[in-house]
Amino acid sequence: MARTQKNKATNYHLGTLKAKLAKLRNELLIEQGGGGSGGPSEGFDVARLGDARVALIGFPSVGKSTLQCKLTGTESEAAAYEFTTLTCIPGTMHYKGSKVQVLDLPGIIEGAAHGKGRGREVIACARNADAILIVLDAGKEGLNRHREILETELETVGIRLNQRPPDVTFNKKSTGGVRFSSTVPLTKLGPDPEKMAIQIMREYKISSADLLAREDITVDQLVDVIVGNRVYKPACYFYNKIDTITIEEVDQLARMPHSLVGSVHKRFNVGEPDEEDALKAMIWRYLGLTRIYTKRKGQHPDLAEPVVLSAVRKGTTVLALCQNISTQMLRDFNFAMVWGKSAKHNPQRCGINHPLEDEDVVQIVTKTNSQQRQDKNYQAMVQGFSDKYHKKKAEARKKKQGKLRG
């Protein structure tokens, strides 16, 4: 591939080679995985807590444990030698009324995607996180290209950083052949995009499928859609130890995309756990967190404990708010009254798909009894409540009889 010239004539050949390479790399990772139970290894099984989860990824001795201590107040072992942290250490960061779980993971090395240095377990934890914070040593970045190495390791195992899933619909079929269509011109798949797509599917032994492209995608994006095991994560980069380099080098690193420079030791852009700083604000922004205050009819809004929604998890709509509070509220939802930035006027009557913004006040109005009776599922719902009531009553009677016999 490196020796092949890149032009329209060779685009079809390069696309086929990329598909073969992705397939062989995926088979190699599965083979090295051992085909076990697939569960997390000892020391890396951490329960999901809080409103979001952030994983700290980086090479050894870049200051991840000290950074987690500054963010969460969790005491993690930190020393001057490499591989101080050997397991996953969780902590909770409190910021703007939200609780963000921060995972301090062991340092990874080049070749971690293929299992070196427990890299497989570390990357599996990062795959389950809502966002990734990559910690880099500013003094070593200029010579060692740590950022490029880490991006390559994560991309090898199917983690796409700061990308969104392609707007492509792909459905496998048992018969019927390949049906390819697009709503926009495809300029990145060569002169014959359909031939390119069919050849890539043939590499994965797919002979019948429907594929609809709604955007101009590349060969790599098409391979990701066909493979189907890719995850898309927001990622930000923190260059630590900037007190060891010159101001010109700091300026160069600060201009890198998705990056923030600072020093944990000198407290540049990093404060104490209960202080606001630039790094916490950056994590909040990349997680897409939104604070929503709820309000009962005729009462003041509850400003003490907001409901925190995440754009990475369920979204920031009224639907996500109802799912976060109660499934019964979602079932009986009628409309919502919204005050705040997302409302055109205060209050605004909104539907369930209305997007919310930070610090909005929402009042959920449920259906009346007459509206619930008109629902086509009303009889099944009443029957379910009745069955649950009689079952609970029978269990209580049986328990009482058991006590009398004893």
Side-chain angles (χ1 to χ4, degrees), residues 227-255:
V227 174
N229 60 351
R230 308 304 193 221
V231 293
Y232 298 83
K233 301 291 182 183
C236 50
Y237 303 82
F238 179 70
Y239 288 95
N240 191 21
K241 305 179 183 179
I242 62 170
D243 52 313
T244 61
I245 59 177
T246 63
I247 189 65
E248 291 79 9
E249 293 173 325
V250 172
D251 182 69
Q252 183 180 1
L253 293 176
R255 295 178 185 275

Side-chain angles (χ1 to χ4, degrees), residues 55-157:
L56 301 183
I57 294 289
F59 277 79
S61 297
V62 296
K64 296 188 299 298
S65 299
T66 309
L67 178 61
Q68 190 207 30
C69 181
K70 292 294 183 182
L71 291 175
T72 66
T74 303
E75 292 296 332
S76 180
E77 184 180 357
Y81 53 87
E82 295 184 349
F83 296 105
T84 309
T85 304
L86 299 177
T87 59
C88 177
I89 300 176
T92 303
M93 180 184 77
H94 298 270
Y95 184 70
K96 291 185 178 181
S98 66
K99 297 179 181 179
V100 179
Q101 188 180 43
V102 181
L103 301 181
D104 179 19
L105 299 173
I108 63 177
I109 57 177
E110 190 171 2
H114 302 286
K116 288 186 179 180
R118 303 200 74 179
R120 190 179 301 279
E121 291 86 348
V122 174
I123 293 177
C125 286
R127 194 181 179 93
N128 294 326
D130 297 315
I132 298 175
L133 176 60
I134 298 179
V135 186
L136 301 164
D137 190 338
K140 300 178 181 179
E141 181 60 25
L143 298 175
N144 298 323
R145 301 180 297 106
H146 285 171
R147 175 170 178 160
E148 182 181 340
I149 294 172
L150 291 174
E151 289 176 345
T152 304
E153 295 297 328
L154 294 175
E155 186 176 350
T156 302
V157 295

Side-chain angles (χ1 to χ4, degrees), residues 386-400:
S386 177
D387 294 344
K388 189 181 297 184
Y389 169 76
H390 289 295
K391 182 179 179 180
K392 189 175 181 180
K393 193 173 181 180
E395 290 177 354
R397 187 187 303 112
K398 187 176 180 181
K399 187 176 180 180
K400 184 177 180 181

